[in-house]
Amino acid sequence: MNTNNAPPPVGSNQPPKMTARGVNVFYGAKQAIKNVSLDVRADEVTAFIGPSGCGKSTFLRCFNRMNDTVDSARVEGEIKLDETDIYAASMDVVQLRARVGMVFQKPNPFPKSIYENIAYGPRIHGLAANKTDMDGIVEGSLRRAGLWEEVKDRLGESGTAMSGGQQQRLCIARAIAVDPEVILMDEPCSALDPIATARIEELIDDLRGKYAIIIVTHNMQQAARVSQKTAFFHLGTMVEYGDTSTIFTNPSEGRTKDYITGRYG
Amino acid sequence: MSLTILFLAAFGLALVGFQIGRARGRTLVATSGIAAGTAARARIGAVHSRPNYHGSFVALLALAPALVVLLGWSFISEGVLTDSVLASVPAAERPETSLDRTSFMNEVRGLAAGEIDEPFDLATIPASRVYAATQTNYNMLAGAVAATLAALGGFWAYSRLTPQFRARNRVEVAVRWGLMLASLVAILTTLGIVLSLIFESLRFFQMVSPIEFLFGTRWSPQTAIRADQVGSSGAFGAVPLFWGTIFIGAIIAMLVAIPLGLMSAIYLTQYAKPSVRKVLKPILELLAGVPTVVYGFFAALTVAPRVRDFAVWLGMSDASSESALAAGVVMGVMIIPFVSSMADDALNAVPGSMRDGSLAMGATPSETVKRVLLPAALPGIVGGILLAVSRAIGETMIVVMAAGLAANLTINPFDSVTTVTTQIVALLTGDQEFDSPKTLSAFALGLVLFGITLVLNIYALAVVKKYREAYD
Amino acid sequence: MATLASSTAMPVEREPTDWSSTRMQRRIARRYAAERNFRFLGLAALGLAASFLVFLLFTIVRDGWTGFLNTEVRVAVTYEPAILGLDAGRIAATADPAARRAAFRQADFAGLMLAASEQLGDFDSVVSEGAWLALRDRLEADPALLGQTEQVWVPVRSTIDLLNKGKFDLEAPEISRGVSDRDIRAWQALEAQGKLRTGFNGIFLSTADSTVPELAGIWGAALGSLLTLLVTIAVSFPVGVGAAIWLEEFAPRNRWTDIIEVSINNLAAVPSIIFGLLGLAVFLNVFGMPRSAPLVGGLTLALMTLPVIVISTRVAIKSVPPSIRDAALGIGASPIQVVFQHVVPLALPGILTGTIIGIARALGETAPLLLIGMRAFVVDTPQGFTQPATVLPVQVFLWSDDVARGFIEKTSAAIMVLMMILIAMNSVAIYLRNKFERRW
Ligand SMILES: Nc1ncnc2c1ncn2[C@@H]1O[C@H](COP(=O)(O)OP(=O)(O)OP(=O)(O)O)[C@@H](O)[C@H]1O
Ligand SMILES: [Mg+2]
């Protein structure tokens, strides 16, 4: 795994962190994702954009097998994390989800204290040897999420009693606490105001390099600001994938251009 | 049965009134000067209400007073008849206890209706003639009064029918009143429960001090059957009853119902495939639909002997066949579906995003349940358990059939204990004398039971409601 | 570093987690084991609950199905007018069936049965003490038989009946097996002579209670249940639906309405026995209504059922979308017309479902009826709403209390009948719910 502090330049020759090949997802008989292939690099932020219902969330949830929790969902194709197929029988979902964290559209802190929210992951995975260790993890994660200064005096208060933006950063801190390699974010800012959104975007920028990040967003500016790679989805297929700068300035597909310039979606 | 005929006659009269009123309404429409082909717009308003409403108005005013008279009479008639029949019986042959009176009157009624040929008590033969005669007289009187009122009401209503008359509005006001009265029945019932329990309990507490009742530890009401006996006050310390109720309903039954009900709910909501759920849920519901007398029979006939054998095997040579354990376990089984459905609701009310959040952290489903879902659903589950306790301590048949009557203050589950509900049934079935503390004590027990279940219910419902709102 | 902490300072780097270390692998194995155990516990809990139900149903059917069969013995009966104390000529001349019936009621059929059973020799005691009723029924059906001889199948005593059904352990010593050697001999001999037959138990389904198991039936209790439930339905359905309509559509939001709502919600959770106390104190003692009567039982159960009907009706009414009301109001219907012509018909399946479920519960209810005296021993089928009666669950309770061994199978058989009615009612409710369930 990549622990280099300085992110290598975009487009380096390192092998991709995660690769998807020929992925199809079905809900019952209905196909939500059609034959999508894509690479995710460790040192980049990858953005998924596309009109509502095109399958962005569905595809994102394939990367940590959250689709397993939906009874009707069925995934075909191959997704690899560091060369291991995550849909292989030998793959352990618990480990996979510890390595591939997720942040949801609506902040979903547990109805526990702030401290317990962060400590949840390390506790279930046994990452802290003792209380000091745990304190360190909690503090480190909150710092990384830029929340430490705001909450350090009220770690015992309920995580649900914070503002929406704080809650979302708490959820990011919670995901960081297990020290994942990849973080999946499904419209993390859609429930937040512009100021809170800006803070999260900053945070994503800070986290880049340490974690591979995939973010789903409806906000074109956001995709342009935070991501290095962008994938455009439409009706379950990936229409275009490439450097963010290229996609936004000079898309090769008409549909991408129409969507980005706001002609439909 | 002639009261039934009177009621039918009242409805018949109302039907006649309806026909007359509707015919009148039709005439009004026909004579209001509007030709059959006129545009609908012109017809609206010429006669305010449709003929059916005119009919209904007449029927209502005919029916309502008659029904009031007949209903009132049917409620008090048996009491009045009993009094006059008993008054006609020579004092020497008059039945003394209320139970005797009841069987006497039953025989009288049977004779009067021609169902019994030879009575046990010969005094009932003349009495039955008095009964039949009085009944005929009074019923005719009530019928005459009702018919007169119906006629008056009907005629008055008929006289008011004009094209401008707002029959529809009148009928609708009456319907609204009817609906409101219907909703008042709930208050009346509550009031009836509270008043009758308090009233009879006060009479009891004039004979037995509330302190003794609430804190005494000896319960033996049997000695009080005859008022002239020495020491006729009996012993009315209800603590053993309260303990027995709690022991069976709130401890043993819950030890069975909470783990089984909760785990069932967790399995159904978290693990079971929809197809499995479809099979298992109705089974649980069926368990809830079994009448309690069936559980009681099962507890007494099948479970209790096994529990006793087990106790003997453990070395308790004098184990009784009626044990707290048998009644409690079966009651627990009866409560399982209730706990399970409350827990099911509580778990389902936790937003799915919590579960997703935990699973996405790499928690296993059981860790998610134990560390996130259960703590989040706790208030709802606790509320449901309180409701289950309230239901268990108010449950009667299982304990009547399997728990026994011995008022023991024991923590040995193989011993026989008795409960509040068991005692209420025991005290009120058998020889009833309505002035004896023995009978009245049942109402004091009922008051305590009602009070406790009421507090539990109100508190539990409030907890559950608040919990639901927290996640809405 | 901690002392210098500022909001921008990055925390110390942690060592990346080594997921493949043995410690981690072991820990994960342990977590999966805990997961499996937990899942198994859940399944076990459900299995336990389900197997309890299966066990309960199994024991009841095992003990009860023979209750629908009975054993009869064949005897030759000569309808001797002399023994009966009847004048054959007069009977033949009587054209009026009622008068003939009255004459038969006076006749000594018990004596006739005694005479007839003497031909069984030593085994005359196998005949049920109520067997003469069968002879009377025969003669009433066909008066021409008077003076004739015919072979009649009459019910045997309960002990012989149970022997014939194999309910005794014949290997056990005489004291502990519950049946005498003499009875066993009688049964074996009659069986060998082919004088016994087992058939459908018509008595059980057509008569009322009796002191002897072989003559006891559930028809009386079933009729009592029917009369009681008729009163319950007649009172609780209109009142409950009316109250629900009022609360849902017309009630002003004020303190009175709140009190009504709170009362209803609490009444729904009040123990049923409290309703029995209410019935006893108010209907019997204040109004002086007759004890043990279906009228009082029905009223008591109606008060108990009322909240169930109100609550389910309100749910059903609530689920009718406001757009329907608006549409009807918009074309000039009055609020009452809207409710009775549009809302209630649409909500009717839900209302009926709730009512059936409430009535089914009332049908299974025992405790409140015990308090108002419906445990009376009633050997006649009830004739009206004010005559003493009993109901099915109370009959189950009474029989379960009886020491006579033959009542065990009767109790179980009565439970089977009760459960079948309940299941039928609930199936209708579920059918209604599924058939008419509408998604708006
Ligand atoms: N649990 C499910 N069962 C059945 N179909 C589903 C389920 N979840 C999503 N779908 C369908 O799959 C398709 C893709 O859904 P998805 O949520 O991935 O879209 P999305 O691109 O994330 O949309 P949005 O931008 O609105 O979040 C949609 O047509 C949706 O209706
Ligand atoms: Mg989405």
Side-chain angles (χ1 to χ4, degrees), chain A residues 26-28 30-33 50-61 67 70-73 105 186-187 216-218 233 236:
Chain A
F26 301 85
Y27 290 112
K30 186 177 161 239
Q31 188 164 9
I33 288 292
S52 193
C54 66
K56 306 178 296 291
S57 302
T58 303
F59 188 50
L60 186 75
R61 289 157 61 90
N67 282 331
V70 179
D71 281 324
S72 63
Q105 175 171 0
D186 193 352
E187 302 183 40
V216 172
T217 176
H218 274 282
F233 289 82

Side-chain angles (χ1 to χ4, degrees), chain B residues 129-435:
Chain B
R129 284 187 209 113
V130 177
Y131 180 88
T134 328
Q135 188 183 40
T136 316
N137 287 342
Y138 280 160
N139 278 357
M140 291 220 328
L141 187 68
V145 172
T148 316
L149 285 181
L152 284 179
F155 278 124
W156 183 77
Y158 184 78
S159 71
R160 307 221 24 197
L161 300 183
T162 59
Q164 291 78 38
F165 182 65
R166 307 191 156 207
R168 177 169 61 73
N169 304 34
R170 298 303 168 96
V171 171
E172 290 188 354
V173 167
V175 170
R176 268 177 195 247
W177 271 93
L179 295 179
M180 197 194 68
L181 289 179
S183 70
L184 284 184
V185 171
I187 291 195
L188 283 182
T189 310
T190 310
L191 216 62
I193 290 176
V194 172
L195 288 185
S196 59
L197 289 181
I198 289 182
F199 180 70
E200 306 287 352
S201 300
L202 282 182
R203 283 174 60 193
F204 172 69
F205 288 131
Q206 280 164 4
M207 301 179 220
V208 176
S209 97
I211 307 287
E212 189 207 326
F213 176 71
L214 288 177
F215 301 107
T217 55
R218 213 171 76 77
W219 177 267
S220 90
Q222 279 72 17
T223 52
I225 291 174
R226 279 183 36 216
D228 54 340
Q229 265 175 342
V230 186
S232 66
S233 65
F236 289 98
V239 169
L241 276 54
F242 299 150
W243 166 246
T245 307
I246 292 170
F247 192 37
I248 292 182
I251 298 178
I252 300 178
M254 289 305 133
L255 284 180
V256 173
I258 294 175
L260 289 181
L262 205 54
M263 286 311 292
S264 300
I266 289 172
Y267 189 85
L268 282 177
T269 55
Q270 308 297 320
Y271 290 110
K273 289 198 204 75
S275 55
V276 178
R277 214 178 136 93
K278 236 194 219 134
V279 178
L280 289 178
K281 252 197 124 151
I283 290 187
L284 276 185
E285 278 168 19
L286 196 58
L287 209 51
V290 175
T292 54
V293 69
V294 176
Y295 281 113
F297 176 63
F298 185 69
L301 193 80
T302 310
V303 180
R306 278 156 219 224
V307 169
R308 202 217 14 234
D309 292 347
F310 182 63
V312 170
W313 180 79
L314 283 181
M316 280 171 249
S317 51
D318 58 342
S320 93
S321 66
E322 289 166 331
S323 60
L325 191 60
V329 165
V330 174
M331 190 184 283
V333 171
M334 185 197 84
I335 301 282
I336 289 175
F338 189 77
V339 173
S340 156
S341 89
M342 295 303 289
D344 198 323
D345 289 351
L347 285 171
N348 273 329
V350 178
S353 64
M354 300 270 169
R355 185 165 171 260
D356 285 352
S358 171
L359 291 176
M361 300 287 303
T364 62
S366 67
E367 285 162 350
T368 304
V369 168
K370 282 187 274 193
R371 292 167 184 249
V372 177
L373 298 186
L374 280 185
L378 199 62
I381 292 175
V382 168
I385 288 175
L386 288 182
L387 285 178
V389 169
S390 142
R391 185 172 268 225
I393 64 179
E395 163 50 35
T396 309
M397 291 323 291
I398 295 176
V399 283
V400 164
M401 296 166 84
L405 286 169
N408 292 329
L409 206 51
T410 170
I411 56 162
N412 179 355
F414 296 104
D415 260 355
S416 152
V417 297
T418 191
T419 71
V420 171
T421 49
T422 316
Q423 288 296 326
I424 293 178
V425 170
L427 292 167
L428 290 182
T429 53
D431 193 4
Q432 272 182 39
E433 203 41 62
F434 242 82
D435 305 318

Side-chain angles (χ1 to χ4, degrees), chain C residues 222-243:
Chain C
L223 216 55
S225 276
L226 180 70
L227 291 175
T228 307
L229 288 192
L230 280 180
V231 176
T232 305
I233 295 171
V235 174
S236 65
F237 183 70
V239 174
V241 173

Side-chain angles (χ1 to χ4, degrees), chain B residues 53 75 79 102 115 168 172 180 183 192 267 271 287 291 298 333 362 364 366-367 401 428-429 434 457, chain C residues 31 35 38-39 43 46 52-53 246 263-264 269 277-278 285 287-288 291 334 337 375 383 387 400 415 422:
Chain B
Y53 283 106
F75 262 87
T102 307
E115 287 153 14
R168 177 169 61 73
E172 290 188 354
M180 197 194 68
S183 70
Y267 189 85
Y271 290 110
L287 209 51
F298 185 69
V333 171
T364 62
S366 67
E367 285 162 350
M401 296 166 84
L428 290 182
T429 53
F434 242 82
N457 292 338
Chain C
R31 286 172 63 196
E35 169 68 22
F38 191 73
R39 196 191 159 103
L43 193 60
L46 259 177
F52 192 94
L53 181 70
W246 169 259
S263 314
I264 288 174
L277 289 173
L278 174 73
N285 287 350
F287 291 128
R291 258 175 90 81
S334 72
Q337 286 171 325
R375 63 185 292 164
Q383 310 285 319
Q387 309 297 320
S400 75
I415 289 176
L422 285 176

